[in-house]
Amino acid sequence: MSKMLKADLSLLFVALTWGLSYYLVDIVMEDLGVYGQNVYRFFIAFAFALALGRGRMAPLRGDILKHSFIMGAILSCVYFGSTMGVKYTSLSNTAFLCSLMVIFTPLFATLYYGKAPSKRTIFCVIVSFIGIAFLTLGEDFKIQMSTLKGDMVSILAAVAYANHLLYTERTVRKSPQDAFSLSAYQFLFVGLINLVLMMIFEKPGIPRTGFTWFALIFLSVFCTGLAFILQTLAQRHTTASHVGVIFSLEPVFASIFAYILLGEVLLPRAYFGAFLMLASVILMEMPGKKEKLGSPDPDGEEKPI
């Protein structure tokens, strides 16, 4: 099994946990505000990373401080948008619209690297976009004005996350030995940024029930700490465009959990959209002829575009 395939399988696990996270966020928001929830979530994630990475954490040097702060600032925008989306629109809409980062990632990659994505990536992006449309739009394929506010901040999260993927990819490829430390320290900065915003805009609080605490801890450890560490480590061996397409499965997993935990049932065309998104990921992973851009190297790893 190539390093790239191992990395992509770990990213598939990340997408699975994030599909569950929307349900958990909805539970925690009954007791905590948008910023307050993220304070708990990312400080707990940072503590988990410190415990997991004992002996692996690099000192907070100037370059690590700079890059982890930038990653944390971008990630704060991601979680502002996604958490506000849960508040102002449906869980499914939030998950599906956040997955639009699969479209934005290869587009922004052109700005980051000055090179166009491969033909296969472009095709997979188009298929994923069609799948997202079948999943998210109303019965007449029009934008639903009643959820427009939540939908817009969810799209903001997708834009921010595409930039986070690309910035992370470029950073960890320059300093692969610092990947774990960068991932961990970004949690600290997300927590600090949200702490400042909470003190300004919200009244601090604590979870009131044991179930809310369970949801918050699971959200922090598995859906945040472990997930982002796996993502950052995996991006040493795969490309941001691959990550974007794999993460387009996040709303598919979200719909599955919504069905299991809440009894939500999608329209037939929504399931067709999920099928298209899954097909795009499978196609992305299939071996093929080497292309000028994004072609695999002799070790089976794909070069960054």
Side-chain angles (χ1 to χ4, degrees), residues 10-267:
S10 68
L11 292 170
L12 189 63
F13 171 78
V14 173
L16 177 68
T17 63
W18 284 346
L20 177 61
S21 71
Y22 294 96
Y23 170 73
L24 299 176
V25 166
D26 193 43
I27 292 172
V28 177
M29 283 196 67
E30 295 179 2
D31 293 344
L32 299 174
V34 172
Y35 303 116
Q37 176 179 160
N38 288 330
V39 170
Y40 280 98
R41 180 174 181 174
F42 283 92
F43 280 157
I44 294 173
F46 179 62
F48 169 77
L50 288 179
L52 185 66
R54 184 175 301 175
R56 298 179 60 185
M57 294 287 290
L60 195 55
R61 307 187 309 264
D63 58 334
I64 292 181
L65 176 65
K66 171 189 172 183
H67 292 306
S68 58
F69 174 76
I70 293 174
M71 290 165 62
I74 300 173
L75 199 58
S76 293
C77 296
V78 174
Y79 278 90
F80 167 78
S82 62
T83 309
M84 290 286 283
V86 170
K87 185 175 182 179
Y88 290 111
T89 188
S90 66
L91 299 185
S92 296
N93 268 29
T94 302
F96 299 148
L97 290 173
C98 286
S99 72
L100 283 172
M101 57 86 177
V102 71
I103 308 300
F104 298 128
T105 299
L107 297 179
F108 294 157
T110 302
L111 301 178
Y112 273 74
Y113 298 109
K115 294 181 179 180
S118 67
K119 293 179 180 179
R120 179 187 295 192
T121 297
I122 293 173
F123 179 76
C124 291
V125 165
I126 293 172
V127 174
S128 294
F129 179 76
I130 295 171
I132 290 169
F134 274 97
L135 279 163
T136 59
L137 298 180
E139 294 184 4
D140 52 359
F141 285 92
K142 292 183 179 179
I143 296 174
Q144 302 184 62
M145 298 303 296
S146 60
T147 60
L148 182 60
K149 182 177 181 179
D151 292 344
M152 292 301 294
V153 293
S154 297
I155 293 173
L156 169 66
V159 171
Y161 198 61
N163 280 280
H164 185 271
L165 290 177
L166 289 160
Y167 189 86
T168 299
E169 176 187 79
R170 189 168 63 178
T171 301
V172 300
R173 286 182 182 275
K174 289 181 179 178
S175 303
Q177 71 278 5
D178 294 328
F180 186 94
S181 299
L182 287 166
S183 183
Y185 284 127
Q186 75 173 339
F187 300 151
L188 175 62
F189 286 114
V190 175
L192 290 173
I193 291 169
N194 278 273
L195 178 61
V196 172
L197 294 172
M198 181 189 71
M199 299 303 293
I200 297 173
F201 297 109
E202 292 178 355
K203 182 179 179 180
I206 61 173
R208 294 177 294 179
T209 67
F211 184 63
T212 304
W213 271 112
F214 170 79
L216 179 60
I217 292 173
F218 191 96
L219 190 66
S220 303
V221 173
F222 292 98
C223 304
T224 308
L226 182 59
F228 275 104
I229 288 171
L230 285 175
Q231 177 208 315
T232 306
L233 294 176
Q235 284 195 255
R236 295 178 300 175
H237 305 297
T238 190
T239 66
S241 294
H242 259 217
V243 179
V245 174
I246 292 171
F247 282 178
S248 72
L249 287 177
E250 180 183 325
V252 179
F253 292 131
S255 297
I256 293 172
F257 284 120
Y259 172 76
I260 295 172
L261 299 172
L262 300 175
E264 291 185 3
V265 179
L266 297 176
L267 296 173

Side-chain angles (χ1 to χ4, degrees), residues 278-293:
L278 178 61
S280 70
V281 174
I282 294 174
L283 178 60
M284 179 72 81
E285 298 304 321
M286 290 176 61
K289 295 181 179 179
K290 293 184 178 181
E291 297 184 52
K292 184 178 180 180
L293 298 175

